[in-house]
């Protein structure tokens, strides 16, 4: 593992562990997930992913998959609220950090897919395209991203800026999920 990836991993470890316990996302790891829980998790993920993917302006294939899954569940993605107060993604370190956060989540999605398939019957062709990253070479994309992190963030300042953005993005996700939980209570 390269030093930039290691720095990103260490910088985000604590908040990432907290997010793994977020109430709206936790059912994704349960073999008894319900359709309502799944829909709520996808709505929450859309609200976070959509504004980031739009800001990045490239690599938004997974957002298209998420929108298709929401449509399968009878949800109009255009009517959904999205997270605000996201960090600026205007420099290369910030943009690479955002890609690290979003593409890194794809690995977790594939681990959650078997539960969703068993419980709800959704798979890479219907309802769980996003979790499966259907049709996207995520392994190749991840490998290329990791190489870019190490080659393009070649100064301590750029690596530190990427870490700060990744932490800020995870913090924004935490605020977003907490806000959704408060509305649902």
């Amino acid at each position: 593992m390269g030093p930039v990836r290691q720095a990103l991993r260490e910088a985000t470890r604590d908040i990432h562990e907290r997010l793994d316990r977020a109430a709206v996302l936790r059912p994704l790891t349960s073999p008894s997930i319900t359709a309502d829980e799944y829909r709520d998790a996808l709505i929450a993920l859309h609200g976070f992913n959509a504004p980031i993917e739009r800001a990045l302006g490239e690599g938004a294939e997974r957002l298209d998959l998420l929108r298709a899954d929401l449509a399968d569940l009878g949800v109009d993605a255009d009517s959904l609220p999205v997270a605000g107060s996201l960090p600026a993604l205007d420099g290369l370190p910030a943009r690479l950090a955002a890609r690290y956060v979003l593409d890194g989540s794809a690995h977790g999605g594939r681990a959650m897919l078997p539960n969703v398939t068993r419980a709800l019957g959704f798979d890479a062709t219907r309802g769980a395209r996003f979790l499966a990253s259907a049709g996207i070479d995520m392994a190749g994309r991840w490998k290329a991203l990791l190489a870019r992190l190490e080659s393009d963030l070649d100064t301590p300042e750029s690596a530190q800026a990427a870490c700060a953005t990744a932490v800020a993005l995870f913090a924004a996700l935490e605020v977003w999920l907490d806000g959704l939980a408060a509305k649902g209570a």
Side-chain angles (χ1 to χ4, degrees), residues 24-39 41 112 115-120 131:
V24 72
L25 300 180
R26 200 173 33 239
L28 290 170
T29 62
S30 171
S32 60
I33 187 170
T34 67
D36 287 344
E37 290 170 331
Y38 183 58
R39 182 199 63 235
M112 297 167 188
N115 287 329
V116 171
T117 299
R118 276 190 299 276
L120 304 173
L131 294 181

Side-chain angles (χ1 to χ4, degrees), residues 173-185:
L173 175 57
E174 191 171 42
V175 167
W176 170 247
L177 296 177
D178 287 347
L180 291 175
K183 289 178 186 175

